[in-house]
Amino acid sequence: MASLPYLQLLRQESAAFSACLEHDLSLPVPHCGDWTLRDLAEHLGQGNRWAAAAVTDKRGDYEAPPAPRVDAEVQGWFNASADELLAVLDTDPAIEAWTFYPPHTVGFWQRRRAQEMLIHRWDAQNALGEALPFSPEFAADGIAEVFDTMAPRQVKLGRAEPPRHALRLRTTDTGQSWTYGPGEPVAEISGTAGRLLLMLWGRLPADDASISWSGDRAAGAAALAGPLTP
């Protein structure tokens, strides 16, 4: 797990998402099914309180209350959930916590909630037509999380088959690479960390012009089919 200032990043991304809630909450959010901006705010706010309970109560079955019915109250409700989570996570990352995948520590949630907020901040801004780019280092850590946590969990839960061939991903801006699958890579894709992260989370097609392919593209695409993320 990379050593990044997750709480600072979570605070920044939460504030950026909150600013989106000053707009029409009935706005549809592409890439999030039939959700509106209001639905996305509720998802994140409930997720914040669920993750807080995972730390404070060491449980994963907490059911957070829904967002207020009055749209004008949703932003304040979300902000309160973000403040609550940040306060709970402001502790030693090595402390034990309930998590849905190893490591079972507070550090898991510091990283997971920061990455969750990053993707959904982009979703909200994209719905408004003003999506800002990711920090390359933060996006690269998100790529790593897909391969060390999210994709293995999908396989463990029976939602995805293990890849038959290996695919290598290489970032053109941070100079990092990851290999997913067994053996030597049969294909490689490259692009900026931000574009690759969006692709892994289904926000960008793998054949987007900003992503370059080499090798056996069909086998590489099969490795990406997953699904890699929930």
Side-chain angles (χ1 to χ4, degrees), residues 25-199:
L25 299 188
S26 67
L27 188 71
V29 180
H31 312 297
C32 291
D34 59 358
W35 281 2
T36 63
L37 197 54
R38 187 188 196 285
D39 295 323
L40 185 55
E42 183 170 63
H43 169 72
L44 286 173
Q46 288 182 316
N48 284 343
R49 291 190 165 96
W50 175 66
V55 173
T56 58
D57 300 341
K58 296 181 173 59
R59 55 185 288 201
D61 59 353
Y62 175 75
E63 294 186 12
R69 293 185 178 181
V70 179
D71 282 0
E73 299 175 0
V74 171
Q75 185 182 36
W77 174 86
F78 167 78
N79 290 344
S81 77
D83 290 343
E84 177 183 337
L85 178 63
L86 283 161
V88 166
L89 294 182
D90 190 10
T91 188
D92 183 351
I95 290 176
E96 181 184 356
W98 179 91
T99 69
F100 57 76
Y101 202 80
H104 302 295
T105 63
V106 171
F108 173 93
W109 288 115
Q110 291 175 343
R111 183 198 203 192
R112 174 83 286 275
R113 293 310 295 176
Q115 290 294 343
E116 178 87 350
M117 198 62 66
L118 176 71
I119 289 293
H120 286 319
R121 180 273 292 171
W122 185 92
D123 286 332
Q125 290 182 338
N126 181 59
L128 294 168
E130 52 187 35
L132 298 177
F134 301 148
S135 153
E137 293 75 19
F138 197 9
D141 182 67
I143 296 171
E145 189 203 36
V146 168
F147 293 122
D148 64 39
T149 300
M150 308 309 286
R153 179 172 180 260
Q154 293 292 91
V155 172
K156 181 179 179 181
L157 292 175
R159 297 173 179 171
E161 292 294 323
R164 296 177 58 190
H165 304 285
L167 170 70
R168 178 181 290 124
L169 289 86
R170 189 182 303 278
T171 55
T172 56
D173 48 356
T174 69
Q176 294 167 272
S177 65
W178 300 263
T179 298
Y180 182 58
E184 286 296 311
V186 297
E188 178 176 302
I189 57 177
S190 61
T192 65
R195 302 301 280 179
L196 292 179
L197 182 62
L198 288 172
M199 182 270 297

